[in-house]
């Protein structure tokens, strides 16, 4: 009985960690889809940018052939390399998002949604190939630091029920949920969030009320991009990094997440991400061969039975 | 399939004109050229002529030019057949995307299931025609339930649903289904006997001097002609007109009293039949099949790229897309340019950039751009003569 309990506990914990990444991706995709009715197939590319930016920042600040080392600084302590990445990566994502909104998304707001899908699909292809040709197609090891704020995070720690669990992953879960919580508050509790929320319901009406929604559009896009890049950094700290991860580990899961949660809903993206995270962690722990299949079939079933998702409205994305 | 008997039975010359004339959507210009272009026998004969010179142009002429300028820009012997195989698939895919306006990201499922079925069938009877029949039947049977479920949702959800089914099949083939599909190892060395019970080996040459005119190419050409003929017949029939109407405004079709669901499902299944034929032929041609080349969603994305590159909303436009795609993938990737150096693995980048450019500037694709250009030169005022279903859809 205790064995079963500990198994469930570890499934939930792993699911929480995977679900956090899905939720981060899903929130970004869903607010862009909801507010602008713009479908961004390049969302995975932002994850990719985040992962590789994180990799570069981490390498340059910690390795003996990195930039800081060449300046004579051999140690910055407190897991500084990763902390730097935690700040820089979302910033890079934010800027890339702003540029994407201006130069890729905006010209396509009035075009049919298939054109939006196609151009962002092409963009994703381009970003992936740039990464492959500039940085290389080889696989990099994950970039988890050994210390964080002076705390050793490389050792597993013993948790009640779960048993030994990598403490780095606990840290990841904590920080991801802090970011998710802040995003949630920003959208639920601030004026900016109010505009975004209203925009997901009826952007035409918001414009009629005299609110400059175009500026909000840029911010929403950039916020979504920053979240995707941040998800990429987190993903890069626990899994290997290669040019394919943008589509395989980010784009498809992000879509599944908002399908389950309901397009346009932040709450839905969080819930959807957690549901999918728990499903995949449960399947991986029991019948790992079937994990991906069950994931996709679950989403198909969801689309058939409850097409509006857990918290979505039918109108968005249809 | 019954399609082949039909070709054998009546030459497409018979009643082409009348059917085409009823269609008001295409070529209502009234000029003699436009009327000629609408004639079914003209379409088939022109395509046949193009198919005869195609390998010569692609391999011998481009090869000769390449010899002069010092880089090899000609294709290799197998490339023309490969282009035709993808061409067959995207003719069907365009019926769905270009005419009915449904963007499927899961057609690799039909391509791949047919490819695997053909591979498995070849171990029993290695006849190429029967392999195609087997593959197509499996793809069609698979398309029915997937279409039945996916069609219920539109827009993004349709794309995601087709994608999820395709991906589920991909992971099944990699993991739990590996007893049947050989998993990550794939099948290699798939042998198809020649045509006419092995009398004509597929790699035999038809014309001694030109090594690109193989039996395989002739075989692919015949299937391609059938595909063009069937495609032309569909889009010029009242039935195909409903596909086009669906792409433009679904609600209006519904208000007319037609069963939208049924027509969309048929469009989906028909496009899957084309993908199935192509998938089986791919197995025969490549003699190798693997989940990543056959079932992975990037393969579906490639169909989308080819179709849009070539041009939705015209019958043979997507075939040009298939040509450009395969040419870039197989020939340009080996080219070494003066400044940049070897293109090599950059080919997907080149393709992605071209793709984005085309979507941005020429929503009707390469073929549409050339058609517009031609119309402007001849002064026919061809603007909007053939509205692309993909962007005529939402006139909000």
């Amino acid at each position: 009985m205790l064995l079963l309990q500990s198994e469930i506990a570890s499934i939930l914990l792993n699911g929480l960690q995977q679900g956090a990444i899905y939720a981060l991706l899903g929130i970004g995709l869903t607010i862009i889809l909801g507010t602008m009715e713009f479908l961004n197939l390049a969302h995975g590319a932002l994850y990719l940018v985040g992962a590789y930016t994180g990799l570069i920042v981490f390498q340059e600040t910690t390795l003996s052939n990195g930039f800081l080392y060449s300046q004579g600084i051999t140690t910055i302590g407190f897991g500084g390399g990763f902390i730097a990445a935690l700040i820089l990566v979302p910033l890079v994502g934010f800027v890339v998002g702003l540029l994407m909104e201006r130069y890729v998304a905006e010209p396509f707001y009035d075009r049919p949604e298939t054109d939006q899908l196609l151009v962002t699909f092409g963009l994703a292809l381009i970003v992936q190939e740039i990464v492959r040709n500039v940085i290389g197609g080889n696989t990099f090891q994950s970039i988890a630091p050994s210390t964080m704020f002076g705390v050793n995070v490389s050792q597993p720690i013993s948790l009640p029920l779960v048993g030994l669990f990598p403490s780095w992953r606990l840290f990841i879960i904590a920080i991801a949920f802090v970011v998710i919580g802040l995003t949630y508050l920003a959208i639920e509790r601030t004026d900016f969030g109010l505009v975004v929320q209203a925009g997901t319901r009826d952007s035409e009406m918001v414009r009629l009320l005299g609110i400059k929604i175009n500026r909000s559009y840029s911010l929403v896009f950039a916020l979504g991009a920053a979240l995707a890049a941040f998800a990429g950094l987190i993903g890069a700290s626990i899994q290997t990094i290669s040019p394919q991860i943008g589509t395989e580990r980010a784009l498809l899961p992000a879509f599944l997440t908002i399908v389950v949660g309901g397009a346009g809903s932040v709450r839905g993206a969080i819930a959807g991400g957690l549901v999918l995270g728990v499903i995949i962690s449960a399947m991986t722990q029991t019948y790992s061969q079937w994990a991906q299949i069950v994931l996709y079939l679950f989403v198909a079933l969801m689309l058939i039975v409850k097409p509006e998702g857990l918290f979505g409205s039918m109108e968005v994305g249809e | 399939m019954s399609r082949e008997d039909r070709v054998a039975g009546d030459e497409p010359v018979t009643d082409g004109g009348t059917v085409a004339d009823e269609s008001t959507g295409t070529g209502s210009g009234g000029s003699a050229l436009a009327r000629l272009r609408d004639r079914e026998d003209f379409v088939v004969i022109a395509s046949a002529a193009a198919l005869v010179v195609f390998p010569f142009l692609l391999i011998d002429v481009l090869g000769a030019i390449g010899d002069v300028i010092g880089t090899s820009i000609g294709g290799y012997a197998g490339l023309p057949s490969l282009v035709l195989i993808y061409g067959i698939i995207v003719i069907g895919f365009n019926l769905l995307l270009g005419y009915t306006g449904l963007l499927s990201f899961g057609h690799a499922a039909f391509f791949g299931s047919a490819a695997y079925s053909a591979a498995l069938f070849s171990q029993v009877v290695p006849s190429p025609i029967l392999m195609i029949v087997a593959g197509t039947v499996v793809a069609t049977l698979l398309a029915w339930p997937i279409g039945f479920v996916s069609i219920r949702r539109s827009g993004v959800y349709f794309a995601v649903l087709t994608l999820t089914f395709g991906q589920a099949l991909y992971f099944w083939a990699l993991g739990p289904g590996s007893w049947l599909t050989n998993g990550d190892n794939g099948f290699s060395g798939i042998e198809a006997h020649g045509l006419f019970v092995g009398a004509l080996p597929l790699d035999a040459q038809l014309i001694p001097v030109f090594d690109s005119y193989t039996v395989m190419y002739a075989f692919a050409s015949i299937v391609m002609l059938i595909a063009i003929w069937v495609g032309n017949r569909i889009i010029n029939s009242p039935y195909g007109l409903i596909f086009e109407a669906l792409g433009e405004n679904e609600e209006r079709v519904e208000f007319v009293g037609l069963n939208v669901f049924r027509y969309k499902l048929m469009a989906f299944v028909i496009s899957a039949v084309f993908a199935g034929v192509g998938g089986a032929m791919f197995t025969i041609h490549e003699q190798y099949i693997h989940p990543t080349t056959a079932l992975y969603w990037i393969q579906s994305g490639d169909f989308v790229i080819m179709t849009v590159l070539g041009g939705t909303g015209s019958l043979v436009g997507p075939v040009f897309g298939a040509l450009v795609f395969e040419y870039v993938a197989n020939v340009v990737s080996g080219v070494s340019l003066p400044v940049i150096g070897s293109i090599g693995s950059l080919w997907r980048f080149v393709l992605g950039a071209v793709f984005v450019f085309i979507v941005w500037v020429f929503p009707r694709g390469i073929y549409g751009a050339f058609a517009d250009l031609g119309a402007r030169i001849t002064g026919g005022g061809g603007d909007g003569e053939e509205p692309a279903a993909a962007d005529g859809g939402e006139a909000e």
Side-chain angles (χ1 to χ4, degrees):
Chain A
M1 196 59 208
L2 200 67
L3 197 70
L4 187 69
Q5 273 177 357
S6 79
E7 199 153 280
I8 290 174
S10 90
I11 283 174
L12 286 179
L13 207 53
N14 279 319
L16 214 59
Q17 174 242 303
Q18 190 59 54
I21 295 180
Y22 290 169
L24 284 167
L25 286 163
I27 293 172
L29 194 62
T30 212
I31 55 177
I32 294 170
L33 175 64
T35 321
M36 286 153 263
E37 304 216 341
F38 184 82
L39 204 60
N40 189 10
L41 280 189
H43 203 64
L46 295 164
Y47 178 93
L48 188 67
V49 167
Y52 272 92
T53 311
L55 176 75
I56 292 167
V57 170
F58 190 74
Q59 281 183 347
E60 294 300 321
T61 50
T62 55
L63 297 188
S64 58
N65 54 0
F67 172 74
L68 276 192
Y69 200 87
S70 71
Q71 300 294 308
I73 305 166
T74 51
T75 175
I76 41 176
F78 298 115
F82 199 82
I83 294 172
L86 275 178
I87 297 161
L88 281 175
V89 166
L91 271 180
V92 169
F94 193 87
V95 172
V96 172
L98 279 180
L99 294 174
M100 245 174 98
E101 203 271 340
R102 173 65 53 83
Y103 294 108
V104 181
E106 214 195 340
F108 279 82
Y109 284 151
D110 295 330
R111 299 263 292 260
E113 67 183 7
T114 41
D115 282 10
Q116 300 176 350
L117 279 175
L118 294 171
V119 80
T120 49
F121 177 61
L123 185 68
L125 215 67
I126 291 174
V127 170
Q128 179 173 324
E129 293 308 307
I130 287 177
V131 166
R132 191 198 302 282
N133 284 290
V134 171
I135 303 175
N138 42 337
T139 306
F140 291 92
Q141 285 302 311
S142 55
I143 53 167
S146 51
T147 55
M148 197 79 210
F149 300 114
V151 182
N152 187 342
V153 288
S154 61
Q155 301 296 322
I157 58 166
S158 182
L159 293 177
L161 274 181
V162 182
L164 285 179
F165 194 80
S167 52
W168 174 246
R169 295 200 175 217
L170 273 187
F171 180 82
I172 283 299
I173 294 174
I175 193 166
F177 275 94
V178 167
V179 171
I180 291 172
L182 287 176
T183 313
Y184 180 77
L185 285 179
I187 288 172
E188 291 284 320
R189 295 272 188 274
T190 63
D191 286 354
F192 165 71
L194 221 71
V195 173
V196 171
Q197 274 194 325
T200 61
R201 302 266 157 73
D202 192 343
S203 59
E204 207 58 33
M205 184 55 80
V206 177
R207 203 170 280 149
L208 287 176
L209 286 172
I211 295 165
K212 286 197 178 106
I213 200 165
N214 280 25
R215 194 175 298 159
S216 311
Y217 277 3
S218 313
L219 278 179
V220 167
F221 214 104
L223 176 66
L227 288 173
F230 179 69
L233 174 65
I234 289 188
S237 78
I238 51 173
Q239 281 170 317
T240 54
I241 308 159
S242 66
Q244 291 91 287
I245 59 173
T247 43
E248 277 172 21
R249 283 198 221 129
L251 177 63
L252 300 184
F255 262 98
L256 303 186
T257 299
I258 66 164
V259 164
V260 171
S265 160
V266 175
R267 216 173 303 173
I270 298 170
L274 293 182
V275 168
L276 291 183
V278 169
I279 287 178
I280 198 123
S281 111
M283 290 307 297
T284 312
Q285 226 151 327
T286 49
Y287 303 97
S288 61
Q289 273 205 326
W290 288 87
Q292 294 286 338
I293 303 168
V294 168
L295 189 73
Y296 282 102
L297 289 182
F298 172 78
V299 173
L301 190 75
M302 189 79 194
L303 266 175
I304 297 156
V305 179
K306 200 167 162 44
E308 73 278 11
L310 293 172
F311 292 98
S313 71
M314 197 62 196
E315 287 137 46
V316 180
E318 184 78 9
Chain B
M1 291 217 55
S2 64
R3 229 195 283 141
E4 286 176 39
D5 333 333
R6 257 193 285 154
V7 189
D10 68 332
E11 277 297 305
V13 190
T14 44
D15 56 357
T18 52
V19 179
D21 282 346
E22 278 168 24
S23 82
T24 50
T26 50
S28 53
S31 71
L33 188 69
R35 233 176 301 137
L36 185 66
R37 278 178 45 176
D38 273 354
R39 282 182 61 95
E40 193 172 80
D41 45 359
F42 173 77
V43 170
V44 173
I45 291 168
S47 307
L51 286 172
V52 170
V53 294
F54 171 54
F56 178 72
L57 290 177
L58 183 63
I59 294 177
D60 298 290
V61 173
L62 279 183
I65 295 173
D67 286 343
V68 174
I69 62 173
T71 44
S72 76
I73 53 169
Y76 55 90
L79 186 60
S81 322
L82 199 62
V83 170
L84 293 195
I85 290 168
Y86 280 110
I88 292 163
I89 297 166
V90 292
I91 284 178
F93 193 79
N94 184 37
L95 283 176
L96 193 66
L97 174 63
Y99 287 89
T100 320
L102 291 170
L103 176 57
S104 162
F105 262 103
H107 260 51
F110 314 123
F111 174 80
S113 62
Y116 271 104
S117 308
L120 290 168
F121 194 79
S122 74
Q123 293 170 353
V124 189
V125 188
S127 149
I129 293 176
L130 289 181
M131 279 164 74
I132 290 179
V133 172
T136 311
V137 166
V138 171
T140 313
L141 291 180
L142 188 69
W144 222 288
I146 291 182
F148 191 80
V149 174
S150 308
I151 293 294
R152 285 163 193 280
R153 305 279 163 256
S154 57
V156 184
Y157 291 116
F158 173 76
V160 175
L161 257 179
T162 49
L163 178 67
T164 56
F165 285 119
Q167 281 296 93
L169 195 69
Y170 165 73
F171 285 111
W172 183 82
L174 264 185
S178 50
W179 55 273
L180 188 66
T181 62
N182 218 5
D184 200 23
N185 297 320
F187 289 117
S188 54
I190 302 159
E191 286 283 342
H193 280 200
L195 294 170
F196 304 115
V197 207
L200 261 181
L202 287 172
D203 52 0
Q205 283 182 26
L206 277 182
I207 307 169
V209 191
F210 302 108
D211 56 357
S212 48
Y213 288 90
T214 57
V215 173
M216 180 70 215
Y217 179 75
F219 180 51
S221 299
I222 292 168
V223 181
M224 173 58 118
L225 277 182
I226 298 169
I228 289 177
W229 177 69
V230 171
N232 187 53
R233 180 54 77 86
I234 291 174
I235 59 173
N236 285 320
S237 69
Y239 205 86
L241 222 62
I242 295 170
F243 289 170
E244 212 173 328
L246 277 170
E248 269 161 35
N249 193 326
E250 204 177 303
E251 273 183 357
R252 234 177 275 166
V253 177
E254 197 162 1
F255 289 156
V256 172
L258 293 167
N259 188 342
V260 167
F261 180 79
R262 212 187 72 194
Y263 284 101
K264 280 165 92 174
L265 180 60
M266 271 323 286
F268 191 80
V269 172
I270 290 171
S271 71
V273 169
F274 280 81
V277 173
M281 290 189 64
F282 182 81
T283 300
I284 296 168
H285 183 259
E286 295 286 297
Q287 306 182 330
Y288 171 75
I289 206 75
H290 183 270
T292 310
T293 56
L295 288 165
Y296 195 44
W297 80 283
I298 293 292
Q299 183 66 60
S300 305
D302 287 349
F303 298 153
V304 176
I305 291 179
M306 289 177 200
T307 309
V308 173
L309 265 187
T312 54
S314 67
L315 175 66
V316 289
V319 182
F320 288 94
L323 169 63
V324 170
F325 189 102
E326 289 304 315
Y327 186 76
V328 171
N330 292 287
V331 181
V332 176
S333 61
V335 168
S336 184
L337 289 177
V339 186
I340 306 166
S342 168
I343 290 178
S345 59
L346 274 171
W347 74 269
R348 261 192 186 274
F349 173 76
V350 173
L351 206 66
V354 172
F355 178 73
V356 167
F357 177 76
I358 292 283
V359 173
W360 208 307
V361 185
F362 302 113
R364 288 175 57 209
I366 297 170
Y367 188 78
F370 276 118
D372 286 347
L373 193 70
R376 192 161 303 167
I377 288 170
T378 54
D383 225 11
E385 181 188 60
E386 227 176 303
D391 67 349
E394 283 156 55
E396 285 166 60

